[in-house]
PDB file of all heavy atoms in Angstrom:
ATOM      1  N   VAL B 334     -17.633   4.693  -9.500  1.00 96.00           N
ATOM      2  CA  VAL B 334     -16.388   5.388  -9.865  1.00 96.00           C
ATOM      3  C   VAL B 334     -16.302   5.397 -11.382  1.00 96.00           C
ATOM      4  O   VAL B 334     -16.642   4.409 -12.046  1.00 96.00           O
ATOM      5  CB  VAL B 334     -15.159   4.716  -9.220  1.00 96.00           C
ATOM      6  CG1 VAL B 334     -15.034   3.268  -9.644  1.00 96.00           C
ATOM      7  CG2 VAL B 334     -13.900   5.490  -9.526  1.00 96.00           C
ATOM      8  N   LEU B 335     -15.861   6.528 -11.949  1.00 96.00           N
ATOM      9  CA  LEU B 335     -15.890   6.726 -13.392  1.00 96.00           C
ATOM     10  C   LEU B 335     -14.545   7.242 -13.890  1.00 96.00           C
ATOM     11  O   LEU B 335     -14.127   8.344 -13.521  1.00 96.00           O
ATOM     12  CB  LEU B 335     -16.995   7.747 -13.734  1.00 96.00           C
ATOM     13  CG  LEU B 335     -17.140   8.155 -15.191  1.00 96.00           C
ATOM     14  CD1 LEU B 335     -17.650   6.986 -16.035  1.00 96.00           C
ATOM     15  CD2 LEU B 335     -18.093   9.355 -15.309  1.00 96.00           C
ATOM     16  N   PRO B 336     -13.817   6.481 -14.731  1.00 95.00           N
ATOM     17  CA  PRO B 336     -12.591   6.994 -15.331  1.00 95.00           C
ATOM     18  C   PRO B 336     -12.899   8.132 -16.305  1.00 95.00           C
ATOM     19  O   PRO B 336     -13.914   8.083 -17.024  1.00 95.00           O
ATOM     20  CB  PRO B 336     -12.032   5.772 -16.077  1.00 95.00           C
ATOM     21  CG  PRO B 336     -12.708   4.589 -15.478  1.00 95.00           C
ATOM     22  CD  PRO B 336     -14.058   5.068 -15.073  1.00 95.00           C
ATOM     23  N   LEU B 337     -12.045   9.155 -16.343  1.00 94.00           N
ATOM     24  CA  LEU B 337     -12.261  10.320 -17.186  1.00 94.00           C
ATOM     25  C   LEU B 337     -11.259  10.346 -18.337  1.00 94.00           C
ATOM     26  O   LEU B 337     -10.187   9.729 -18.254  1.00 94.00           O
ATOM     27  CB  LEU B 337     -12.157  11.591 -16.348  1.00 94.00           C
ATOM     28  CG  LEU B 337     -13.144  11.672 -15.168  1.00 94.00           C
ATOM     29  CD1 LEU B 337     -12.950  12.975 -14.405  1.00 94.00           C
ATOM     30  CD2 LEU B 337     -14.576  11.533 -15.649  1.00 94.00           C
ATOM     31  N   PRO B 338     -11.563  11.068 -19.408  1.00 92.00           N
ATOM     32  CA  PRO B 338     -10.701  11.060 -20.596  1.00 92.00           C
ATOM     33  C   PRO B 338      -9.273  11.550 -20.351  1.00 92.00           C
ATOM     34  O   PRO B 338      -8.354  11.157 -21.065  1.00 92.00           O
ATOM     35  CB  PRO B 338     -11.436  12.002 -21.573  1.00 92.00           C
ATOM     36  CG  PRO B 338     -12.848  11.981 -21.128  1.00 92.00           C
ATOM     37  CD  PRO B 338     -12.811  11.825 -19.639  1.00 92.00           C
ATOM     38  N   ASN B 339      -9.082  12.414 -19.359  1.00 91.00           N
ATOM     39  CA  ASN B 339      -7.752  12.956 -19.092  1.00 91.00           C
ATOM     40  C   ASN B 339      -6.962  12.143 -18.071  1.00 91.00           C
ATOM     41  O   ASN B 339      -5.929  12.583 -17.574  1.00 91.00           O
ATOM     42  CB  ASN B 339      -7.861  14.408 -18.626  1.00 91.00           C
ATOM     43  CG  ASN B 339      -8.675  14.545 -17.334  1.00 91.00           C
ATOM     44  OD1 ASN B 339      -9.242  13.566 -16.839  1.00 91.00           O
ATOM     45  ND2 ASN B 339      -8.729  15.745 -16.791  1.00 91.00           N
ATOM     46  N   GLY B 340      -7.454  10.949 -17.721  1.00 91.00           N
ATOM     47  CA  GLY B 340      -6.749  10.106 -16.764  1.00 91.00           C
ATOM     48  C   GLY B 340      -7.191  10.293 -15.322  1.00 91.00           C
ATOM     49  O   GLY B 340      -6.767   9.536 -14.445  1.00 91.00           O
ATOM     50  N   ASP B 341      -8.020  11.300 -15.055  1.00 94.00           N
ATOM     51  CA  ASP B 341      -8.569  11.491 -13.712  1.00 94.00           C
ATOM     52  C   ASP B 341      -9.704  10.489 -13.479  1.00 94.00           C
ATOM     53  O   ASP B 341     -10.096   9.740 -14.381  1.00 94.00           O
ATOM     54  CB  ASP B 341      -9.088  12.915 -13.549  1.00 94.00           C
ATOM     55  CG  ASP B 341      -7.976  13.956 -13.606  1.00 94.00           C
ATOM     56  OD1 ASP B 341      -6.790  13.557 -13.568  1.00 94.00           O
ATOM     57  OD2 ASP B 341      -8.289  15.148 -13.700  1.00 94.00           O
ATOM     58  N   ILE B 342     -10.276  10.489 -12.270  1.00 95.00           N
ATOM     59  CA  ILE B 342     -11.438   9.670 -11.971  1.00 95.00           C
ATOM     60  C   ILE B 342     -12.481  10.526 -11.260  1.00 95.00           C
ATOM     61  O   ILE B 342     -12.151  11.517 -10.611  1.00 95.00           O
ATOM     62  CB  ILE B 342     -11.094   8.448 -11.095  1.00 95.00           C
ATOM     63  CG1 ILE B 342     -10.519   8.890  -9.742  1.00 95.00           C
ATOM     64  CG2 ILE B 342     -10.164   7.499 -11.810  1.00 95.00           C
ATOM     65  CD1 ILE B 342     -10.416   7.750  -8.738  1.00 95.00           C
ATOM     66  N   ALA B 343     -13.747  10.140 -11.413  1.00 96.00           N
ATOM     67  CA  ALA B 343     -14.844  10.821 -10.737  1.00 96.00           C
ATOM     68  C   ALA B 343     -15.572   9.823  -9.845  1.00 96.00           C
ATOM     69  O   ALA B 343     -15.717   8.654 -10.200  1.00 96.00           O
ATOM     70  CB  ALA B 343     -15.815  11.427 -11.749  1.00 96.00           C
ATOM     71  N   THR B 344     -16.025  10.288  -8.677  1.00 97.00           N
ATOM     72  CA  THR B 344     -16.752   9.420  -7.750  1.00 97.00           C
ATOM     73  C   THR B 344     -18.134  10.012  -7.483  1.00 97.00           C
ATOM     74  O   THR B 344     -18.281  11.225  -7.325  1.00 97.00           O
ATOM     75  CB  THR B 344     -16.008   9.263  -6.416  1.00 97.00           C
ATOM     76  OG1 THR B 344     -15.853  10.550  -5.779  1.00 97.00           O
ATOM     77  CG2 THR B 344     -14.632   8.653  -6.651  1.00 97.00           C
ATOM     78  N   SER B 345     -19.147   9.147  -7.432  1.00 95.00           N
ATOM     79  CA  SER B 345     -20.521   9.545  -7.151  1.00 95.00           C
ATOM     80  C   SER B 345     -20.869   9.090  -5.738  1.00 95.00           C
ATOM     81  O   SER B 345     -20.828   7.888  -5.456  1.00 95.00           O
ATOM     82  CB  SER B 345     -21.481   8.909  -8.154  1.00 95.00           C
ATOM     83  OG  SER B 345     -21.158   9.286  -9.473  1.00 95.00           O
ATOM     84  N   SER B 346     -21.226  10.021  -4.874  1.00 92.00           N
ATOM     85  CA  SER B 346     -21.352   9.713  -3.455  1.00 92.00           C
ATOM     86  C   SER B 346     -22.770   9.933  -2.923  1.00 92.00           C
ATOM     87  O   SER B 346     -23.538  10.735  -3.464  1.00 92.00           O
ATOM     88  CB  SER B 346     -20.372  10.563  -2.642  1.00 92.00           C
ATOM     89  OG  SER B 346     -20.524  10.362  -1.261  1.00 92.00           O
ATOM     90  N   GLN B 347     -23.046   9.231  -1.836  1.00 87.00           N
ATOM     91  CA  GLN B 347     -24.334   9.344  -1.165  1.00 87.00           C
ATOM     92  C   GLN B 347     -24.542  10.740  -0.571  1.00 87.00           C
ATOM     93  O   GLN B 347     -25.683  11.150  -0.331  1.00 87.00           O
ATOM     94  CB  GLN B 347     -24.447   8.275  -0.073  1.00 87.00           C
ATOM     95  CG  GLN B 347     -25.740   8.274   0.710  1.00 87.00           C
ATOM     96  CD  GLN B 347     -26.960   7.990  -0.147  1.00 87.00           C
ATOM     97  OE1 GLN B 347     -26.854   7.351  -1.186  1.00 87.00           O
ATOM     98  NE2 GLN B 347     -28.122   8.471   0.265  1.00 87.00           N
ATOM     99  N   ASP B 348     -23.482  11.493  -0.353  1.00 87.00           N
ATOM    100  CA  ASP B 348     -23.632  12.837   0.213  1.00 87.00           C
ATOM    101  C   ASP B 348     -24.066  13.864  -0.826  1.00 87.00           C
ATOM    102  O   ASP B 348     -24.140  15.058  -0.534  1.00 87.00           O
ATOM    103  CB  ASP B 348     -22.346  13.289   0.913  1.00 87.00           C
ATOM    104  CG  ASP B 348     -21.169  13.443  -0.045  1.00 87.00           C
ATOM    105  OD1 ASP B 348     -21.356  13.300  -1.267  1.00 87.00           O
ATOM    106  OD2 ASP B 348     -20.043  13.683   0.443  1.00 87.00           O
ATOM    107  N   GLY B 349     -24.368  13.414  -2.050  1.00 89.00           N
ATOM    108  CA  GLY B 349     -24.855  14.320  -3.078  1.00 89.00           C
ATOM    109  C   GLY B 349     -23.767  15.082  -3.799  1.00 89.00           C
ATOM    110  O   GLY B 349     -24.056  16.078  -4.475  1.00 89.00           O
ATOM    111  N   THR B 350     -22.529  14.614  -3.713  1.00 92.00           N
ATOM    112  CA  THR B 350     -21.394  15.312  -4.325  1.00 92.00           C
ATOM    113  C   THR B 350     -20.701  14.419  -5.352  1.00 92.00           C
ATOM    114  O   THR B 350     -20.447  13.250  -5.085  1.00 92.00           O
ATOM    115  CB  THR B 350     -20.383  15.758  -3.264  1.00 92.00           C
ATOM    116  OG1 THR B 350     -21.034  16.604  -2.314  1.00 92.00           O
ATOM    117  CG2 THR B 350     -19.228  16.526  -3.898  1.00 92.00           C
ATOM    118  N   LEU B 351     -20.414  15.001  -6.503  1.00 94.00           N
ATOM    119  CA  LEU B 351     -19.598  14.351  -7.525  1.00 94.00           C
ATOM    120  C   LEU B 351     -18.205  14.946  -7.423  1.00 94.00           C
ATOM    121  O   LEU B 351     -18.030  16.161  -7.543  1.00 94.00           O
ATOM    122  CB  LEU B 351     -20.188  14.605  -8.916  1.00 94.00           C
ATOM    123  CG  LEU B 351     -19.504  13.931 -10.098  1.00 94.00           C
ATOM    124  CD1 LEU B 351     -19.784  12.435 -10.099  1.00 94.00           C
ATOM    125  CD2 LEU B 351     -19.974  14.542 -11.413  1.00 94.00           C
TER     126      LEU B 351
END
Side-chain angles (χ1 to χ4, degrees):
V334 59
L335 176 68
L337 302 180
N339 61 355
D341 294 350
I342 61 169
T344 61
S345 301
S346 176
Q347 180 62 26
D348 64 5
T350 302
L351 183 72

